[in-house]
Amino acid sequence: MGFVNQRSLMLSVYIGAEMDHREENKDRRLLLWFFAVATAVKLLLIPSYRSTDFEVHRNWLAITHSLPLTRWYFDETSQWTLDYPPFFAYFERFLSVFARVVDPRIVNLQSGIDYGAESVVYFQRISVIVSDLCLLYGVYRLTRKLEPMKRNLICALVIWSPGLLIVDHIHFQYNGFLLGWLLLSISFLQEGRDLLGGFLFAVILCFKHLFAVAAPVYFVYLLRHYCWSGFVTGFRRLVTIGAVVVAVFVAAYGPFIYHGQIQQVISRMFPFGRGLCHAYWAPNFWVFYIILDKGLAFSLRKLGFDIRIPSASFTGGLVGNSSPFAVLPQITPLTTFALVLLAISPCLVKAWKKPHPGLVARWIAYAYTCGFLFGWHVHEKASLHFTIPLAIVAVQSVEDAKHYFLVSIVSCYSLFPLLYEPQEYPIKVLLLLLHSMVMWLGFTAQYAEKKARKKESGEIKSKFKIGYFEKSYLMGLFIVEMVSQFLHPHFLGDKYPFIPLMLISTYCTVGIMYSWIWQLRRILT
Amino acid sequence: MPKKKPAKHSGDDDIAAPVSSQTGSSIDTLWWWLTHKGTATSFLCISLFALLIRSAVSMYPYSGAGTPPKFGDFEAQRHWMEITTNLPVSDWYRNGTSNDLTYWGLDYPPLTAYQSYIHGVLLRIFSPESVALLSSRGHESYLGKLLMRWTVLSSDVLIFFPAALFFVLVYHRNRTRSSKSEVAWHIAIILLNPCLILIDHGHFQYNCISLGLTLGAIAAVLCGSEVLTCVLFSLALSHKQMSAYFAPAFFSHLLGKCLRRRNPVLAVVKLGIAVIATFVIVWWPYLHSLDDFLMVLSRLAPFERGIYEDYVANFWCTTSILIKWKKLFSTQSLKSISLAATILASLPSMVQQVLSPSNEGFLYGLLNSSMAFYLFSFQVHEKSILMPFLSATLLALKLPDHFSLLTYYALFSTFPLLCRDKLLIPYLTLSFLFTIIYHSPGNHHSVQKTKASFFSFKNLPGYIFLLRAHFFISIVLHVLYLTIQPPQKYPFLLEALIMILCFSYFVMFAFYTNYTQWTLSSHFRSSGKEKKHI
């Protein structure tokens, strides 16, 4: 009897394990399937519009390939000088090996300028598509321990992220690759492997310094969670992680320090002369600030005060040294830096008090939101830095899902002006609609009531409902789009070309500000 | 298998009922989170994706881009817009000073002309120079291309997509056991039809309109409204005469159904009136004089172009390697021979439908008759594979192993054409996309595997080996076509090889589907053997 029982038990355990294995296999296949579908779309997007960033990256290929390392950060043959940290330069050096094989003209400093042949387009586009494997691995690693529903959702949200497709595969950049590293780093932190997580973050910093906004969070969290365990162990760990970080930075900057060029590298990486806002205002806090200034100047002038119109204008793009503000005090990089730190500080306090690995993704996303809102010369593309990590947070609760639904739509919409040519218009709109639809279906399913899952048909009750305010705000997006795309050109023609852009960034700022306040409240409570 | 509406023929029972219901539920847990809202929502979601793919493909070059003096199909369509918006209706098909019929003269029925007119008017609003009379010949511009592409996109959205939704709703309403993810999979297969996307949005044509109307007509058959069927199919015929590929199936199925009515003559007359009325309305401007009518008709049947053009994977072109048809016979006799061959080839499926009309048999009938036309009719073009392939996508859940191969060879048969249009990347990508969607986790196609296994070609000795060898050769041909220059003596050697390969697969496939159609109802199972001799 006992023998039979044992056998049946073993059998059932065996079957269970087999089932688990098969389940996992199936889910891995689903992840690959997502990625394969995304890859097909990316391949089809090859001939789409590409921004000057395409030429920027091509020029970096040429610089790193045809010049010695000592000249990399000095070269000014093209106006698109190298302004990313050394690891990215090494990455370009690595790519340039293949580029030379494909077509030597790609890596030629002079004759390669504005080279637009098929060879270079295909090479660079495919390099982005292949480097997205990093994103795939990041997502896989981050989600492998989650339950299937959450895993599928995160995969769909990150891998089919419309923002990534727009910025990387149409506009042209390597964000998928870099965000893959970030997700990888977060996944290690969540598993409690802090040293590896810290190491990976240091590596990302040497790829793209804009990721440094989350450095305070990493610093506080690692200090508290990794190093704060008794004097001896703590000290040993502090030294270890310090050594690791220093080693990474030495690997990146060492050669330039050795050649005494570090000053030049830093000045290239932080071009503060570029002004507070980018040509197209990213939807952040400074939009309000500028508008307030304009409004004040206008009304004060009406009241009879003598307000000088500033020589530098925001709509013109590049801004020099003179203050662009008529009434309000000028903003310096230091001010923005202090503001970002101030905004992040509540989350730092929280991280210090209760360093819980499960909350890391939330804090990192919050830090990037702060950086986006208050930073100096922020690009609209930087919104990816928080929408991607927020996707991981989104599956944790209904409230998070509702918040993510809003913020990801807003941040994707704010990327629309990047693709201003009519050819890509249907593509960007469809990407956003598809993303919203997948999000809506996925969240509704995830928070559906248990009973509903069994039911074959009929209305499914779900806790995921989009509130009245969110709905009207999103409807507003539609109106803004109508006005800026159709009404404005129809009634005003080419006059006031900045109005649609201003309208979009102002309206999106409201959403991003809301998201920031929401995240802050969520972290504090 | 759909539960048939006229419940008289219950001969087609499911063999694999328990298997399919079991796997169905496990698939659903995998896809439930995306499909739980039901067919309409899944359809919306998938159609957004399908539109995304279409608009991405439309960024690639069109046929004849930058190749004066004749350009390609894009220029033909644009020229028709130019003609229809600038000339009176009666001059559209007439040779004149401003309408040179040798330069892409209209050679499709009036509905195409009307569609060109509407699109031309739209184009004139935004870019008048792209449809200006005479001066716009060979017009190529960023805006012109974009607007033209958008007219195809909008035609797809307005006609093909609603028709597909109609079909899916009707088809799966009758299938009680199809799970939600199965429905979603089927929608994806219909909407992401790689051949249709490549030809319409890459090469540039408006097949989505005629195929959409046909699809609507098919759905109308399935939901039992025969008058609607007649109207929609007549419209399809008036848009592209190639829709006649489906005519035998429609005709035989409707006839078979009418014969079972209490008053067959009345039923036939009713449908006849619907057809004639639709045709009269559409052709009205050309019905005032016999000359006008004949003038249009002569434009529609370009017999002078010979029995085949280029390298199309049909019977005449393939056998012409051995038998020089064009030298042996006059065009006139070739016309009759090809007509006879076509009728003979589509006869078995017609007879089956007249004898026992059923919904599923009808779908097979569509496939068989269009394939018969593709293989045997006069003046077939590579693009005509769209017709048999569309009906195959409708049966995708029923053709377990054959559908993916059919897609592969259907695409392959258009490979040289698409390469000429510089659509290699979309070709490869869409093949890839089709493969991953077809094999999406959950194995929908394997659900049906046990079906019809009482007879399968797999049991024939050497069949599997033959298929594999076939597939291997086709891969090699892909690579060769892209890499090597054919020998001077045989410049079209590779095209001919591709044609032979595709033709042989199509013939095998046609045998299989004809056989399946005949074995649908057990009453006629014995007759299946007769057909094999034809």
Side-chain angles (χ1 to χ4, degrees):
Chain A
M1 216 30 200
F3 173 69
V4 175
N5 262 344
Q6 204 182 349
R7 260 198 71 169
S8 68
L9 190 74
M10 269 176 67
L11 198 68
S12 67
V13 166
Y14 172 73
I15 290 170
E18 180 84 329
M19 290 280 276
D20 277 359
H21 184 68
R22 266 175 51 194
E23 275 299 301
E24 193 182 299
N25 233 347
K26 210 183 249 176
D27 280 310
R28 199 175 302 162
R29 269 180 56 198
L30 197 63
L31 173 64
L32 280 177
W33 187 86
F34 281 135
F35 187 71
V37 171
T39 305
V41 176
K42 291 167 191 171
L43 282 170
L44 288 176
L45 288 175
I46 286 177
S48 61
Y49 155 82
R50 47 187 192 275
S51 72
T52 45
D53 274 353
F54 182 84
E55 171 60 15
V56 170
H57 284 91
R58 194 222 44 83
N59 188 44
W60 292 355
L61 283 176
I63 289 176
T64 52
H65 190 268
S66 45
L67 293 176
L69 184 120
T70 48
R71 304 268 312 119
W72 286 2
Y73 284 91
F74 283 94
D75 179 76
E76 281 179 352
T77 321
S78 155
Q79 57 168 322
W80 311 117
T81 53
L82 183 57
D83 57 6
Y84 269 30
F87 271 175
F88 203 85
Y90 300 155
F91 173 62
E92 293 280 1
R93 178 70 185 80
F94 169 71
L95 288 181
S96 70
V97 176
F98 303 100
R100 209 189 77 90
V101 177
V102 172
D103 182 354
R105 200 173 148 190
I106 300 174
V107 291
N108 192 308
L109 257 187
Q110 267 84 31
S111 70
I113 289 179
D114 288 329
Y115 189 40
E118 276 190 353
S119 63
V120 65
V121 174
Y122 280 97
F123 175 75
Q124 294 219 72
R125 291 278 197 205
I126 289 172
S127 75
V128 181
I129 295 171
V130 173
S131 69
D132 269 355
L133 282 172
C134 197
L135 183 72
L136 176 71
Y137 184 66
V139 177
Y140 164 68
R141 199 139 199 306
L142 196 69
T143 57
R144 61 183 178 160
K145 296 273 165 59
L146 293 174
E147 50 185 277
M149 178 79 84
K150 287 183 178 175
R151 182 169 22 192
N152 292 345
L153 250 173
I154 294 182
C155 295
L157 295 181
V158 174
I159 289 181
W160 291 346
S161 161
L164 270 181
L165 281 169
I166 288 176
V167 174
D168 278 12
H169 300 276
I170 303 180
H171 177 86
F172 198 85
Q173 274 192 349
Y174 288 91
N175 288 296
F177 168 67
L178 299 168
L179 286 166
W181 282 94
L182 183 67
L183 294 184
L184 214 55
S185 158
I186 294 176
S187 85
F188 280 116
L189 289 189
Q190 284 187 347
E191 282 174 16
R193 295 164 76 178
D194 293 342
L195 189 61
L196 255 173
F199 163 74
L200 282 173
F201 185 69
V203 171
I204 312 167
L205 285 187
C206 298
F207 266 110
K208 192 173 180 179
H209 48 303
L210 289 178
F211 281 97
V213 182
V217 173
Y218 267 90
F219 179 73
V220 171
Y221 175 78
L222 289 177
L223 194 64
R224 182 73 172 82
H225 189 256
Y226 182 66
C227 306
W228 209 259
S229 51
F231 186 73
V232 180
T233 344
F235 188 72
R236 200 192 67 228
R237 286 185 171 182
L238 187 65
V239 169
T240 323
I241 199 160
V244 165
V245 173
V246 168
V248 169
F249 275 79
V250 164
Y253 296 93
F256 302 96
I257 297 172
Y258 174 77
H259 292 291
Q261 299 175 340
I262 196 68
Q263 198 101 42
Q264 170 70 11
V265 175
I266 301 285
S267 73
R268 275 284 176 82
M269 277 163 49
F270 297 98
F272 286 118
R274 279 197 194 164
L276 178 60
C277 285
H278 191 54
Y280 158 64
W281 307 344
N284 65 6
F285 174 75
W286 303 117
V287 170
F288 283 157
Y289 194 79
I290 297 165
I291 289 179
L292 183 67
D293 178 71
K294 298 255 170 189
L296 275 178
F298 182 76
S299 44
L300 286 178
R301 222 176 290 136
K302 282 272 148 132
L303 289 172
F305 287 90
D306 176 37
I307 305 287
R308 232 166 19 88
I309 296 168
S311 56
S313 115
F314 275 105
T315 43
L318 296 177
V319 178
N321 283 327
S322 65
S323 168
F325 296 106
V327 185
L328 294 177
Q330 192 186 353
I331 302 297
T332 60
L334 208 63
T335 330
T336 61
F337 181 70
L339 254 180
V340 172
L341 257 187
L342 188 69
I344 299 177
S345 55
C347 142
L348 297 181
V349 173
K350 210 70 187 173
W352 182 263
K353 276 189 185 155
K354 212 175 143 202
H356 190 272
L359 294 172
V360 171
R362 193 181 289 274
W363 294 330
I364 291 171
Y366 174 73
Y368 284 127
T369 315
C370 295
F372 182 79
L373 267 184
F374 301 107
W376 178 264
H377 195 83
V378 173
H379 282 243
E380 60 281 30
K381 291 159 249 168
S383 65
L384 284 175
H385 293 184
F386 61 85
T387 40
I388 299 298
L390 272 179
I392 306 156
V393 181
V395 296
Q396 290 173 2
S397 76
V398 191
E399 286 75 31
D400 285 309
K402 283 178 189 165
H403 162 251
Y404 183 75
F405 185 79
L406 185 84
V407 75
S408 77
I409 291 179
V410 173
S411 79
C412 174
Y413 179 69
S414 73
L415 295 173
F416 272 20
L418 276 181
L419 314 178
Y420 54 85
E421 290 198 13
Q423 184 180 246
E424 284 75 21
Y425 190 75
I427 292 175
K428 63 183 181 184
V429 172
L430 286 167
L431 276 173
L432 179 56
L433 286 179
L434 191 63
H435 177 65
S436 324
M437 186 109 192
V438 168
M439 258 197 302
W440 178 64
L441 286 174
F443 286 139
T444 314
Q446 195 199 345
Y447 298 110
E449 279 159 15
K450 280 281 182 298
K451 271 185 273 171
R453 299 194 186 193
K454 299 263 157 44
K455 264 202 303 192
E456 256 301 298
S457 56
E459 196 62 20
I460 286 164
K461 281 200 180 138
S462 172
K463 281 184 227 136
F464 178 78
K465 281 209 176 65
I466 304 150
Y468 180 71
F469 276 104
E470 283 89 347
K471 238 181 227 167
S472 30
Y473 179 77
L474 292 177
M475 278 294 135
L477 274 187
F478 177 74
I479 296 168
V480 165
E481 179 62 11
M482 284 296 128
V483 170
S484 58
Q485 278 298 323
F486 301 106
L487 295 181
H488 177 265
H490 187 76
F491 289 109
L492 292 169
D494 292 337
K495 272 184 280 176
Y496 313 116
F498 56 89
I499 283 184
L501 292 183
M502 222 168 84
L503 191 65
I504 294 173
S505 56
T506 318
Y507 195 77
C508 290
T509 308
V510 176
I512 304 281
M513 287 291 268
Y514 162 81
S515 155
W516 172 64
I517 294 166
W518 192 92
Q519 287 185 56
L520 183 61
R521 266 187 44 205
R522 186 88 187 160
I523 284 169
L524 290 180
T525 51
Chain B
M1 218 170 275
K3 284 271 182 300
K4 285 166 196 152
K5 281 213 94 185
K8 289 173 201 162
H9 314 279
S10 52
D12 39 77
D13 242 337
D14 257 25
I15 304 156
V19 178
S20 79
S21 66
Q22 241 175 34
T23 34
S25 69
S26 89
I27 293 162
D28 256 15
T29 52
L30 197 62
W31 290 104
W32 181 82
W33 63 285
L34 272 182
T35 57
H36 61 93
K37 283 276 178 188
T39 309
T41 319
S42 305
F43 185 87
L44 185 62
C45 196
I46 295 166
S47 59
L48 284 177
F49 181 72
L51 269 176
L52 176 70
I53 296 295
R54 281 164 165 77
S55 38
V57 170
S58 73
M59 292 190 294
Y60 283 82
Y62 43 81
S63 70
T67 52
K70 276 286 255 186
F71 300 95
D73 272 351
F74 177 86
E75 171 63 9
Q77 299 282 354
R78 195 210 53 73
H79 178 68
W80 297 346
M81 293 181 195
E82 168 199 335
I83 293 296
T84 49
T85 46
N86 289 301
L87 298 180
V89 183
S90 51
D91 288 349
W92 287 354
Y93 289 90
R94 184 176 292 139
N95 209 3
T97 45
S98 40
N99 186 10
D100 177 11
L101 285 184
T102 54
Y103 183 81
W104 299 116
L106 250 175
D107 52 7
Y108 283 132
L111 200 59
T112 296
Y114 304 147
Q115 163 244 316
S116 296
Y117 175 76
I118 294 170
H119 286 152
V121 168
L122 286 177
L123 242 71
R124 198 160 56 183
I125 296 173
F126 297 102
S127 161
E129 66 279 6
S130 69
V131 286
L133 190 60
L134 295 178
S135 72
S136 69
R137 276 204 187 170
H139 178 91
E140 288 185 301
S141 65
Y142 178 83
L143 189 63
K145 172 189 172 184
L146 205 59
L147 289 171
M148 292 280 283
R149 292 291 203 191
W150 285 356
T151 60
V152 190
L153 271 178
S154 60
S155 316
D156 232 338
V157 173
L158 292 177
I159 295 172
F160 189 78
F161 282 45
L165 178 62
F166 183 26
F167 173 81
V168 170
L169 285 176
V170 177
Y171 182 69
H172 289 281
R173 189 186 61 191
N174 298 341
R175 284 167 63 93
T176 42
R177 250 176 297 93
S178 45
S179 62
K180 282 173 181 169
S181 57
E182 223 174 21
V183 179
W185 182 84
H186 197 193
I187 297 170
I189 292 293
I190 294 174
L191 291 187
L192 290 168
N193 178 337
C195 299
L196 182 62
I197 297 179
L198 285 170
I199 302 276
D200 271 14
H201 300 271
H203 177 86
F204 202 92
Q205 276 195 343
Y206 291 91
N207 294 299
C208 53
I209 298 180
S210 58
L211 290 182
L213 290 170
T214 312
L215 190 52
I218 296 167
V221 168
L222 298 193
C223 88
S225 64
E226 278 131 26
V227 176
L228 184 63
T229 307
C230 290
V231 172
L232 286 176
F233 187 63
S234 308
L235 286 177
L237 270 175
S238 312
H239 188 267
K240 272 200 158 181
Q241 61 271 40
M242 267 77 104
S243 307
Y245 284 27
F246 296 116
F250 277 101
F251 174 74
S252 59
H253 178 77
L254 292 181
L255 183 69
K257 265 189 177 172
C258 287
L259 291 179
R260 278 163 180 71
R261 292 283 151 77
R262 224 176 300 150
N263 195 341
V265 180
L266 193 71
V268 171
V269 167
K270 197 173 84 178
L271 298 185
I273 289 173
V275 171
I276 291 168
T278 315
F279 270 102
V280 166
I281 291 170
V282 173
W283 288 68
W284 186 247
Y286 305 100
L287 294 179
H288 299 303
S289 76
L290 189 66
D291 276 355
D292 278 359
F293 182 66
L294 288 180
M295 173 185 76
V296 178
L297 272 195
S298 69
R299 290 295 307 158
L300 301 190
F303 287 118
E304 70 284 355
R305 281 161 78 172
I307 189 158
Y308 57 85
E309 235 179 318
D310 289 347
Y311 282 86
V312 56
N314 77 352
F315 175 77
W316 306 112
C317 194
T318 310
T319 50
S320 71
I321 295 171
L322 301 173
I323 311 160
K324 300 292 168 209
W325 298 103
K326 282 182 179 174
K327 283 180 194 157
L328 279 176
F329 299 98
S330 69
T331 308
Q332 199 55 43
S333 50
L334 273 181
K335 253 194 270 182
S336 337
I337 297 172
S338 67
L339 183 68
T342 313
I343 290 176
L344 209 63
S346 54
L347 206 56
S349 85
M350 283 176 77
V351 171
Q352 195 270 343
Q353 276 306 287
V354 174
L355 291 180
S356 82
S358 70
N359 282 347
E360 195 177 1
F362 169 60
L363 293 180
Y364 274 103
L366 288 167
L367 180 52
N368 290 329
S369 76
S370 51
M371 194 55 113
F373 268 75
Y374 178 81
L375 291 177
F376 294 107
S377 75
F378 198 84
Q379 242 295 316
V380 175
H381 202 275
E382 293 106 303
K383 287 165 246 170
S384 304
I385 192 63
L386 281 176
M387 256 62 81
F389 188 65
L390 174 83
S391 33
T393 59
L394 306 181
L395 280 167
L397 283 165
K398 300 280 168 190
L399 299 166
D401 314 309
H402 304 268
F403 182 64
S404 68
L405 270 181
L406 176 75
T407 313
Y408 176 75
Y409 287 108
L411 267 170
F412 191 36
S413 72
T414 58
F415 179 61
L417 175 83
L418 295 172
C419 269
R420 248 177 285 139
D421 294 342
K422 300 194 186 74
L423 291 169
L424 179 66
I425 295 283
Y427 171 85
L428 294 176
T429 312
L430 284 183
S431 315
F432 170 63
L433 185 66
F434 171 80
T435 317
I436 45 184
I437 294 212
Y438 186 79
H439 295 284
S440 47
N443 282 348
H444 306 263
H445 52 287
S446 69
V447 173
Q448 310 285 336
K449 236 167 198 164
T450 37
K451 191 159 295 173
S453 58
F454 52 86
F455 176 83
S456 155
F457 280 106
K458 280 192 168 167
N459 301 339
L460 295 178
Y463 174 71
I464 295 289
F465 172 76
L466 190 69
L467 272 192
R468 293 220 174 116
H470 223 116
F471 188 74
F472 176 73
I473 296 169
S474 72
I475 299 278
V476 172
L477 276 178
H478 268 115
V479 176
L480 288 183
Y481 191 85
L482 293 175
T483 46
I484 64 156
Q485 282 287 329
Q488 288 273 303
K489 207 172 158 197
Y490 306 106
F492 294 108
L493 178 70
L494 290 171
E495 276 93 343
L497 286 175
I498 291 173
M499 172 189 78
I500 294 170
L501 214 60
C502 293
F503 172 72
S504 53
Y505 183 78
F506 292 153
V507 169
M508 272 196 286
F509 184 78
F511 270 120
Y512 169 76
T513 51
N514 269 299
Y515 176 80
T516 320
Q517 189 188 349
W518 270 90
T519 47
L520 278 180
S521 46
S522 47
H523 306 291
F524 299 98
R525 196 168 288 172
S526 54
S527 328
K529 288 183 186 97
E530 292 169 21
K531 184 230 100 254
K532 285 185 80 181
H533 300 296
I534 296 168

